[in-house]
Structures are given as C-alpha cells and as structure tokens.
Amino acid sequence: MADASSFYITTPIFYVNDVPHIGHAYTEVAADVLARWNRQAGRDTWMLTGTDEHGQKILRTATANGVSPQEWADKLVADAWKPLLDTVDVANDDFIRTTDERHERNVQRFLQHLFDEGWIYTGEYEGYYCVGCEEYKQQSELVDGTGEYEGQLVCAIHSKPVELLHEKNYFFRMSAFADRLLALYEERPDFVQPESARNEVVSFVRRGLDDLSISRSTFDWGVKVPWDETHVVYVWFDALLNYITAVGYGEDDDRFARRWPAQHLVGKDILRFHAVIWPAMLMAAGLDVPTGVFGHGWLLVGGEKMSKSKLTGIAPSQITDTFGSDAFRYYFLSAISFGQDGSFSWEDLAARYQAELANGFGNLASRVIAMIGRYCGGAVPTGTEAARTEADEAIRRIEQEATDAAWQAIDRLQIHEAIAATWRLVDALNGYITEQEPWVLAKDEAVRARLEAVLETAYHGVGTLAVLLSPVLPKATAKLWTALGAPGTVQEQRIDRAHEWSVGTQTSALEPLFPRVEATE
Ligand code: MSP
C-alpha cells in the first residue's frame, strides 16, 4: 500500500521552435501515467509540464517566420503544445511557460540570491556554440561536416555547424560542486536512473567540472540579468528553474514546501543538465535537490532517434486519429522498457492493438458484460461462495498479486513492469473463462449456482482490471466502469487496493472498447 507522502512529477519544458512529435508525447504520457497512478494511490500529487520559450533558437525561428519571438511562442503554445495534452489525454495540474511573469521574476530572484552569495562572477569565454542544443560544445563533441557543411565543424547531435563565440559573460561557480555532487550520487544510488545513465553522469563529474557561462549579451530574448540589463540569462539556466518557479519558489513558501522536491523525467540527451547543473544550482541556493532524475530512452524510427530535423518526425495525432489516445498511451508504455530506446513501427503498433487491446482486454470486458446481460438480465451475481472452487480463489489471488506488483513497479518508475503485472490478470481471466465455459453451464439449470459463481469471479476480475488500467487507458476504463454499474468514477478508486473495489448491482451494455481498425494502405 502507498504511504501518504506527496508526489511531484515533471516533464522537460519543450522548445517552441517547432510542433510536437511522438517523442515529446511519449514523455508526456509517461509522466501522466505516473501522476495518475500516484494520485489514485492517495498521494498528494502534482504534475507539471510546459514550454521553453527563450534563447537564440526560438528567436531565430521567429525571425525567419517574420514575427516577434513572443508572437511565435504564443501561437505555438496555443496551436500545438497545449492541444498535444488533449491529443494524448494528459491530466496535468499546471502548464508553465518561461515567458510567464511568475517565472521571470523568480528567475531573477534566484539569480540575485546566487550573486549576493558570491556564486557568480564576470569572465570571458570563447567556444563553439550549438544553437540547436543551446550549449557550448567541447571539441570532442564536434565532427566534420558533410554535404553542404563540408569543411566546417558540426554538432554531433544536430549535424549543423557550430558558431565560434567570444563573449564577456557571467559565470556560475559550478566547479565548486563536483565533490558534493559525487557524494550525492554515492549516497542516493537512485538519484539518477536508470543505472546506465547514472554511470555516465558519475564518470562525467569525476573528470571535474568547469564553471558555467550563464548569460548572453549578443541578443535580448530572455530574462534580464537583474544587476546588468545588458545581459539575458542563459536559456538552460532559465529553463531549469521552471520546476521551482511553478510551485511557489520565491513567493509562496507553504506551497513550495508542500510540492518540492520533484521527480524529473527527461530524455537521456538532456540528462546532464538535470543531474549535474540543476542540483549544483540548487545546492548553491541552499535548496533541496530533486527526488530523482529519470532518463528515458529515445523513440527510434528506422534505427535512428526520431526527429523533425531529420524528417522522421511523426505527429501524435497521426496515431491517435486511427487508434485513439488510449492505444497511444498503452503502446509506448508497454512495448518499451522504460529507460531503454524503443523502435516504433506501424506494423508493431497495429499488431499489438489487435492482439493485446482488442482481443486481450477489450474482448474480455465485452464478453463478461454480455454474459451477465444474457444469463442474468444484467444483475450482478452475488453470494456465490458455496459454488466457488479453487479456480475462483486463484483469480482472487492474482487480482491481489497484480495490484501489489503493479504498485511496487510504479513506485520504482517501472511503468512497463506495472502494465506487465496487470496483464497477468488479463491472461488469467481469459484462461479462466475458456476453461469454465459459462456458455455450457448456462444450458443446464442444475449448475446455475456455478454459472453465477463464474460470472461473479469474472466480473470482479474485470473491475480490478478497470481500476489497474485506468491511468494508462483512462477513456476505455471509464466506459467499462459505467458498464459495470460500479459506484463513483474509476479515477476515484484506490489503485493500491484495486482488488477491493466496491462492486455494482446492475450492468449495462458495453460498446467494443477497441474497435477493429481498417488497414489504410
Ligand atoms: N527545452 C529543453 C528542455 C528544458 S527542461 C528544463 C529541450 N526541449 S526539447 O523540446 O528539445 O526536448 C524535450 C524532450 O523531448 C527531451 O527530453 C528529449 O529527450 C525528448 N525527445 C526529443 N526527441 C525524442 C525522441 N525521438 N524520443 C524520445 N524523446 C525525445 O530539450
């Protein structure tokens, strides 16, 4: 069972230079499933997502499109990033934009505090800057360009030329925190997950840390440095602070104390910002470091990280228009071990939709509801103890085991394991119905009591599934809940005690939860 603590989960805030693809939607649904699950386990839960709107990358995109960066950001947020949350059915508690007043003034407050404490100094920097990454690059992170960039050095991630910058900047004394960071990784082995990500971060910090340039003066699209308005705050320094400005840092101490620290979910490409720079910033400010940083893998298309710039981007609606948001959520969270890369293919998605959602779960729910309708006039059978057998006890045990195993997996952020644990119950119930053959029992009035026991067991099992799957399949399980005639909403049920749900008395008809999808090609 869950404890009564609080749970604050975040996604990265997304650059508004372009529209979302399924890689971004993947992070959103993972955070949403963890939030819904924790909320249903009785934890004081908060899920934050939002957009990263400052910096040179956004400025250039806006300029290229002939509008101001603020206009560009407003349009992308309204037309693309907020609608994404509906497309994949995310129930976030807040949406922060780095252009929000509440964010900007507290970024300044944080910075001023670090400046007053002596953690910031003026220096000069010369280095190669990648605008795609919004980061200075080491020589080892660059490669020789090919094609139109032949003869130039390009960023290994974006394959675009880097720019040699020479600026007078403000610097954060990050180098002073290397030992404290190493001690943190040592004392809290789960601080960075998965283990491969942790190892990479530890060896990076062991090589020693440089101080970090945290301002830019050659353009002005950003938060102004409070003591020197000719500089704007470096976009990553600004962006990371969203996690605390959104929950009251600087102006609402009670709220801040209630929510912070957070569990961060990020793609592995931005792990270092979250596992190195961010905790060092918090340490300097005397604040708690995050609960943890989990680096998930990439969605691969044709073996490569899917990206718009490489023209492999797939819009989430391309999938949800055909398969629905539940299938989107289920597919990416069950087919990919959370933390590993995963290849996306339409064939795999269509095959799993049919085998697991339509035939495995959907059909099970439809059959059970239909049989209670046909054989009992929709009245939920009760009081069948005397006619129960070991097979019924086994199902009850699996309901409890699945409930416990799924919650334990979620508590370790292992979403795919939680779904697999739940699917044991789907398979067990399908096997049970095949073995018990209620349609045969229904032909013989002498075994009526046994028929009712079988239907009661199946009904109970399907209700437990509705609760356990509600974070992943919110739409389908809400429909199923109504058909089960159970009280309240499925989202109100305690998921860490899913097997103890309170049953209804009368079922009603259920449309297929996962209708057949016609091949479009
Ligand atoms: N704005 C920064 C984050 C600041 S957080 C303080 C940023 N934005 S982003 O829009 O470029 O990326 C956001 C997230 O999307 C990252 O976690 C990144 O890993 C993720 N993904 C981008 N492409 C992806 C895939 N192909 N697969 C999975 N996730 C992907 O970085």
Side-chain angles (χ1 to χ4, degrees), residues 11-15 21 23-24 26-27 52 57 81 236 239-240 242-243 266-270 274 296-300 305-307:
T11 71
I13 48 172
F14 300 93
Y15 286 130
H21 58 53
H24 306 122
Y26 175 56
T27 318
D52 192 352
K57 173 147 87 175
W81 289 94
W236 267 102
L240 288 161
N242 90 87
Y243 302 128
V266 300
K268 61 183 180 181
D269 49 333
I270 56 171
H274 287 81
H296 68 67
W298 286 337
L299 298 190
L300 309 175
K305 180 184 179 210
M306 192 199 55
S307 85

Side-chain angles (χ1 to χ4, degrees), residues 24 164 198:
H24 306 122
L164 185 63
R198 175 180 183 270

Side-chain angles (χ1 to χ4, degrees), residues 310-344:
K310 295 194 174 149
L311 299 178
T312 49
I314 299 171
S317 59
Q318 283 177 261
I319 293 178
T320 56
D321 285 350
T322 307
F323 293 93
S325 56
D326 278 0
F328 185 105
R329 299 163 66 90
Y330 172 80
Y331 174 70
F332 288 106
L333 296 177
S334 65
I336 303 172
S337 293
F338 200 49
Q340 311 285 310
D341 291 347
S343 293
F344 168 77

